[in-house]
Amino acid sequence: MTEGYLGRESVVVGEELTVHVSTDAARFRLRFYRLGEDVELLAESGPYPGSRHPAPPHPDGVPGRVSPAHDWDWPPLTLPVPEHWTPGMHLVQFVEDGEDPPLLDAASIEGPAREFFVVRPRRAGSRSRVLYKKSTYTRHAYNRSDRPGEERAVSLYDHPVYLPDGDPRGHKVSLHRPGGIIDLAYWDAPFIAWLERNGYPVEFCTDLDLHEDPELLSSYDLLLSVGHDEYWSEAMRGQAERFVRDGGNIAFLSANTCWWRIHPTDRNTAFVSDTDHHVGDEYPHLPATDQWWPERPNGVGRPENSLTGVSFRNGGMWASAEGWPGDRPREGYTVQHADHWVFAGTGLRDGSDGGEPDRLGAGTTLIGYECDGAAYARDEHGVARATGEDGTPDSFLILGIHVLDPVHEDFHDFKWGHWNGPAREAGITSPRAATMGVYTAGGTVFSAGTTDWPVVCGHEQDAGVVRVTRNLLDRLRHRSAGD
């Protein structure tokens, strides 16, 4: 078995990429691909001499488990990134010499013995004013480092490492571990292909890029958050908020967004987050002081919905006995304010003419598997309006809503076939509801309120979702756009 990981998941064209590889084979090769409308093979390099390297043991002595918190410290191999490579999302596949597995395509991106990385242009914003942020911190939080024949099952959730006396205190996970490709194949790949197929050029960055570079967003007019985007650092959030204040636009085509704060450590090759995850047999571990919304000292005291407009605490997660992502109710969003520019050209109705309102995405799994919402109340016409009592901006306009049903209120004891809701403020009495909406505060912020928006759009499962996405990109990719 050959597997590896990246020294860093982004590189500027013309600079060097470092991979770290462990293999049972005497030699191995590397295949490089670009992910766009198609999966394009760019190059194959090697063979290189191979050697097998162990993973560090679990620091708590958990039998049969390795450490998710330590750098696995496999030997580096550094290669130049050719100047002629087109910036974008790229893949590296680890191949044992003497083997010739089929080339990767759109149907086979997911799997072990491969990793993704971002290639960025030398000058930010030179190819597009739209920046697609790959949610790499969330990927690493869930990365179990499993491989064929061995379920290592170590992550921020599985057999985690907790540092009670650390500075910062919390659960720790290293970015320097193998894990293969899972989330990229589900959320990102179909949406990236759709973007390129429909003539929307974008540039890419990772969470670490945004964390480290306070000037990164100044080269762009629109930031895209896609899929599952749960873990954010203080610097990431501060730079996104400043970007909006300065007139930049954000489209959160994601959910469970900005739920936990993280603290990069070990020269930004690992991070720590004080979450409610297991500490030994204790679960939930409370207080989880890196949760954004609770007041200090039980949390950060900065509700995520003051940026996004919506929060996971007003939504929930569908738990399926069939495993992730699972089938779930397919009712879609009840449309409100159908005359808004977001709905232009969709033909959707909101019921203001006396008929029944249409449902955006009905018949698809648009809502979930995780979804975010805003506290709301209905006016005399039955229209849901954000109350702002949870920190959602006053100007947030609810464009679509789906009341979750059935709901289970104990998030730490899942109930299959239910929307499992996390704790929220006791005073919020509105039903849990996936919520799509928009507000303007300098720039414009759109929130889809669901993780699977890019899946439905990318596979073109619903014409209304596709048209809304076009409207968002056409309008918000120019910084001067307003609500």
Side-chain angles (χ1 to χ4, degrees), residues 323-344:
W324 173 80
D327 202 1
R328 51 191 181 271
R330 296 174 173 237
E331 298 176 30
Y333 276 124
T334 299
V335 171
Q336 300 193 150
H337 309 291
D339 58 347
H340 194 277
W341 61 261
V342 162
F343 293 120

mmCIF file of all heavy atoms in Angstrom, residues 323-344:
data_model
loop_
_atom_site.group_PDB
_atom_site.id
_atom_site.type_symbol
_atom_site.label_atom_id
_atom_site.label_comp_id
_atom_site.label_asym_id
_atom_site.label_seq_id
_atom_site.Cartn_x
_atom_site.Cartn_y
_atom_site.Cartn_z
ATOM 1 N N GLY A 323 -25.944 5.616 6.972
ATOM 2 C CA GLY A 323 -24.648 6.274 6.906
ATOM 3 C C GLY A 323 -24.706 7.583 6.145
ATOM 4 O O GLY A 323 -25.713 7.946 5.556
ATOM 5 N N TRP A 324 -23.574 8.304 6.167
ATOM 6 C CA TRP A 324 -23.488 9.620 5.528
ATOM 7 C C TRP A 324 -23.430 9.452 4.015
ATOM 8 O O TRP A 324 -22.812 8.523 3.517
ATOM 9 C CB TRP A 324 -22.213 10.324 6.012
ATOM 10 C CG TRP A 324 -21.941 11.604 5.293
ATOM 11 C CD1 TRP A 324 -22.516 12.812 5.524
ATOM 12 C CD2 TRP A 324 -21.023 11.802 4.204
ATOM 13 N NE1 TRP A 324 -22.017 13.749 4.650
ATOM 14 C CE2 TRP A 324 -21.098 13.150 3.831
ATOM 15 C CE3 TRP A 324 -20.161 10.958 3.496
ATOM 16 C CZ2 TRP A 324 -20.333 13.699 2.802
ATOM 17 C CZ3 TRP A 324 -19.396 11.500 2.458
ATOM 18 C CH2 TRP A 324 -19.488 12.852 2.126
ATOM 19 N N PRO A 325 -24.066 10.366 3.225
ATOM 20 C CA PRO A 325 -24.904 11.478 3.687
ATOM 21 C C PRO A 325 -26.345 11.063 3.960
ATOM 22 O O PRO A 325 -27.075 11.794 4.603
ATOM 23 C CB PRO A 325 -24.827 12.472 2.527
ATOM 24 C CG PRO A 325 -24.670 11.590 1.319
ATOM 25 C CD PRO A 325 -23.830 10.420 1.769
ATOM 26 N N GLY A 326 -26.764 9.927 3.465
ATOM 27 C CA GLY A 326 -28.096 9.409 3.757
ATOM 28 C C GLY A 326 -29.205 10.107 3.002
ATOM 29 O O GLY A 326 -29.105 11.281 2.642
ATOM 30 N N ASP A 327 -30.280 9.357 2.735
ATOM 31 C CA ASP A 327 -31.459 9.970 2.141
ATOM 32 C C ASP A 327 -32.219 10.719 3.228
ATOM 33 O O ASP A 327 -32.060 10.452 4.415
ATOM 34 C CB ASP A 327 -32.351 8.908 1.496
ATOM 35 C CG ASP A 327 -33.266 9.498 0.428
ATOM 36 O OD1 ASP A 327 -33.179 10.724 0.188
ATOM 37 O OD2 ASP A 327 -34.059 8.739 -0.143
ATOM 38 N N ARG A 328 -33.058 11.644 2.836
ATOM 39 C CA ARG A 328 -33.754 12.494 3.809
ATOM 40 C C ARG A 328 -34.928 13.165 3.103
ATOM 41 O O ARG A 328 -35.088 13.036 1.885
ATOM 42 C CB ARG A 328 -32.794 13.533 4.382
ATOM 43 C CG ARG A 328 -32.016 14.318 3.326
ATOM 44 C CD ARG A 328 -30.902 15.125 3.957
ATOM 45 N NE ARG A 328 -30.154 15.901 2.963
ATOM 46 C CZ ARG A 328 -29.099 15.432 2.310
ATOM 47 N NH1 ARG A 328 -28.649 14.219 2.538
ATOM 48 N NH2 ARG A 328 -28.467 16.199 1.424
ATOM 49 N N PRO A 329 -35.768 13.892 3.861
ATOM 50 C CA PRO A 329 -36.904 14.563 3.222
ATOM 51 C C PRO A 329 -36.460 15.438 2.055
ATOM 52 O O PRO A 329 -35.436 16.109 2.117
ATOM 53 C CB PRO A 329 -37.482 15.403 4.362
ATOM 54 C CG PRO A 329 -37.136 14.638 5.599
ATOM 55 C CD PRO A 329 -35.775 14.057 5.332
ATOM 56 N N ARG A 330 -37.260 15.456 0.998
ATOM 57 C CA ARG A 330 -36.897 16.128 -0.258
ATOM 58 C C ARG A 330 -37.899 17.230 -0.596
ATOM 59 O O ARG A 330 -38.364 17.327 -1.715
ATOM 60 C CB ARG A 330 -36.820 15.102 -1.391
ATOM 61 C CG ARG A 330 -35.728 14.063 -1.201
ATOM 62 C CD ARG A 330 -35.773 12.986 -2.256
ATOM 63 N NE ARG A 330 -34.623 12.102 -2.148
ATOM 64 C CZ ARG A 330 -33.751 11.854 -3.118
ATOM 65 N NH1 ARG A 330 -33.897 12.422 -4.304
ATOM 66 N NH2 ARG A 330 -32.745 11.019 -2.934
ATOM 67 N N GLU A 331 -38.211 18.062 0.375
ATOM 68 C CA GLU A 331 -39.258 19.065 0.179
ATOM 69 C C GLU A 331 -38.748 20.392 -0.356
ATOM 70 O O GLU A 331 -39.526 21.180 -0.889
ATOM 71 C CB GLU A 331 -40.018 19.270 1.488
ATOM 72 C CG GLU A 331 -40.725 17.996 1.966
ATOM 73 C CD GLU A 331 -41.387 18.182 3.321
ATOM 74 O OE1 GLU A 331 -41.806 19.313 3.619
ATOM 75 O OE2 GLU A 331 -41.472 17.201 4.078
ATOM 76 N N GLY A 332 -37.470 20.683 -0.186
ATOM 77 C CA GLY A 332 -36.927 21.929 -0.704
ATOM 78 C C GLY A 332 -37.321 23.140 0.129
ATOM 79 O O GLY A 332 -37.961 23.033 1.176
ATOM 80 N N TYR A 333 -36.925 24.315 -0.350
ATOM 81 C CA TYR A 333 -37.198 25.587 0.330
ATOM 82 C C TYR A 333 -38.521 26.186 -0.134
ATOM 83 O O TYR A 333 -38.761 26.322 -1.335
ATOM 84 C CB TYR A 333 -36.103 26.607 0.021
ATOM 85 C CG TYR A 333 -34.876 26.522 0.887
ATOM 86 C CD1 TYR A 333 -33.615 26.358 0.315
ATOM 87 C CD2 TYR A 333 -34.967 26.637 2.263
ATOM 88 C CE1 TYR A 333 -32.470 26.315 1.095
ATOM 89 C CE2 TYR A 333 -33.829 26.582 3.063
ATOM 90 C CZ TYR A 333 -32.589 26.420 2.477
ATOM 91 O OH TYR A 333 -31.461 26.366 3.265
ATOM 92 N N THR A 334 -39.369 26.579 0.811
ATOM 93 C CA THR A 334 -40.543 27.370 0.477
ATOM 94 C C THR A 334 -40.080 28.775 0.092
ATOM 95 O O THR A 334 -39.387 29.453 0.868
ATOM 96 C CB THR A 334 -41.517 27.445 1.654
ATOM 97 O OG1 THR A 334 -41.952 26.126 1.976
ATOM 98 C CG2 THR A 334 -42.723 28.310 1.307
ATOM 99 N N VAL A 335 -40.446 29.215 -1.100
ATOM 100 C CA VAL A 335 -39.945 30.475 -1.649
ATOM 101 C C VAL A 335 -40.646 31.667 -1.002
ATOM 102 O O VAL A 335 -41.870 31.688 -0.836
ATOM 103 C CB VAL A 335 -40.155 30.503 -3.172
ATOM 104 C CG1 VAL A 335 -39.843 31.882 -3.756
ATOM 105 C CG2 VAL A 335 -39.292 29.429 -3.833
ATOM 106 N N GLN A 336 -39.864 32.672 -0.635
ATOM 107 C CA GLN A 336 -40.362 33.976 -0.181
ATOM 108 C C GLN A 336 -39.711 35.065 -1.040
ATOM 109 O O GLN A 336 -38.585 34.907 -1.490
ATOM 110 C CB GLN A 336 -40.010 34.213 1.287
ATOM 111 C CG GLN A 336 -40.583 33.199 2.259
ATOM 112 C CD GLN A 336 -40.473 33.650 3.710
ATOM 113 O OE1 GLN A 336 -41.298 33.290 4.529
ATOM 114 N NE2 GLN A 336 -39.463 34.446 4.044
ATOM 115 N N HIS A 337 -40.438 36.160 -1.255
ATOM 116 C CA HIS A 337 -39.911 37.324 -1.990
ATOM 117 C C HIS A 337 -39.426 36.902 -3.379
ATOM 118 O O HIS A 337 -38.272 37.139 -3.768
ATOM 119 C CB HIS A 337 -38.787 38.004 -1.205
ATOM 120 C CG HIS A 337 -39.149 38.312 0.221
ATOM 121 N ND1 HIS A 337 -40.074 39.275 0.560
ATOM 122 C CD2 HIS A 337 -38.739 37.740 1.389
ATOM 123 C CE1 HIS A 337 -40.206 39.312 1.879
ATOM 124 N NE2 HIS A 337 -39.416 38.386 2.404
ATOM 125 N N ALA A 338 -40.311 36.296 -4.132
ATOM 126 C CA ALA A 338 -39.960 35.765 -5.451
ATOM 127 C C ALA A 338 -39.532 36.850 -6.432
ATOM 128 O O ALA A 338 -38.942 36.543 -7.475
ATOM 129 C CB ALA A 338 -41.142 34.984 -6.027
ATOM 130 N N ASP A 339 -39.824 38.126 -6.116
ATOM 131 C CA ASP A 339 -39.417 39.217 -6.999
ATOM 132 C C ASP A 339 -37.977 39.668 -6.738
ATOM 133 O O ASP A 339 -37.477 40.581 -7.405
ATOM 134 C CB ASP A 339 -40.370 40.405 -6.855
ATOM 135 C CG ASP A 339 -40.455 40.933 -5.423
ATOM 136 O OD1 ASP A 339 -39.965 40.243 -4.488
ATOM 137 O OD2 ASP A 339 -41.029 42.025 -5.228
ATOM 138 N N HIS A 340 -37.297 39.051 -5.773
ATOM 139 C CA HIS A 340 -35.913 39.405 -5.472
ATOM 140 C C HIS A 340 -35.007 38.975 -6.623
ATOM 141 O O HIS A 340 -35.269 37.978 -7.301
ATOM 142 C CB HIS A 340 -35.484 38.723 -4.180
ATOM 143 C CG HIS A 340 -34.215 39.256 -3.587
ATOM 144 N ND1 HIS A 340 -32.974 38.835 -4.009
ATOM 145 C CD2 HIS A 340 -33.996 40.172 -2.601
ATOM 146 C CE1 HIS A 340 -32.040 39.470 -3.306
ATOM 147 N NE2 HIS A 340 -32.637 40.284 -2.453
ATOM 148 N N TRP A 341 -33.892 39.707 -6.832
ATOM 149 C CA TRP A 341 -32.993 39.386 -7.948
ATOM 150 C C TRP A 341 -32.424 37.968 -7.869
ATOM 151 O O TRP A 341 -32.076 37.376 -8.895
ATOM 152 C CB TRP A 341 -31.870 40.401 -8.065
ATOM 153 C CG TRP A 341 -30.950 40.532 -6.870
ATOM 154 C CD1 TRP A 341 -30.991 41.476 -5.898
ATOM 155 C CD2 TRP A 341 -29.828 39.682 -6.550
ATOM 156 N NE1 TRP A 341 -29.977 41.284 -4.977
ATOM 157 C CE2 TRP A 341 -29.254 40.193 -5.359
ATOM 158 C CE3 TRP A 341 -29.255 38.565 -7.138
ATOM 159 C CZ2 TRP A 341 -28.142 39.615 -4.748
ATOM 160 C CZ3 TRP A 341 -28.145 37.968 -6.527
ATOM 161 C CH2 TRP A 341 -27.604 38.497 -5.356
ATOM 162 N N VAL A 342 -32.326 37.422 -6.676
ATOM 163 C CA VAL A 342 -31.825 36.053 -6.538
ATOM 164 C C VAL A 342 -32.672 35.072 -7.357
ATOM 165 O O VAL A 342 -32.160 34.101 -7.907
ATOM 166 C CB VAL A 342 -31.791 35.650 -5.050
ATOM 167 C CG1 VAL A 342 -31.719 34.131 -4.872
ATOM 168 C CG2 VAL A 342 -30.594 36.299 -4.347
ATOM 169 N N PHE A 343 -33.982 35.334 -7.455
ATOM 170 C CA PHE A 343 -34.899 34.421 -8.143
ATOM 171 C C PHE A 343 -35.166 34.808 -9.598
ATOM 172 O O PHE A 343 -35.987 34.163 -10.259
ATOM 173 C CB PHE A 343 -36.238 34.367 -7.409
ATOM 174 C CG PHE A 343 -36.166 33.725 -6.047
ATOM 175 C CD1 PHE A 343 -36.524 34.443 -4.916
ATOM 176 C CD2 PHE A 343 -35.742 32.416 -5.893
ATOM 177 C CE1 PHE A 343 -36.482 33.863 -3.657
ATOM 178 C CE2 PHE A 343 -35.685 31.827 -4.646
ATOM 179 C CZ PHE A 343 -36.055 32.542 -3.515
ATOM 180 N N ALA A 344 -34.488 35.815 -10.098
ATOM 181 C CA ALA A 344 -34.750 36.269 -11.462
ATOM 182 C C ALA A 344 -34.615 35.120 -12.461
ATOM 183 O O ALA A 344 -33.638 34.364 -12.436
ATOM 184 C CB ALA A 344 -33.789 37.398 -11.842
#
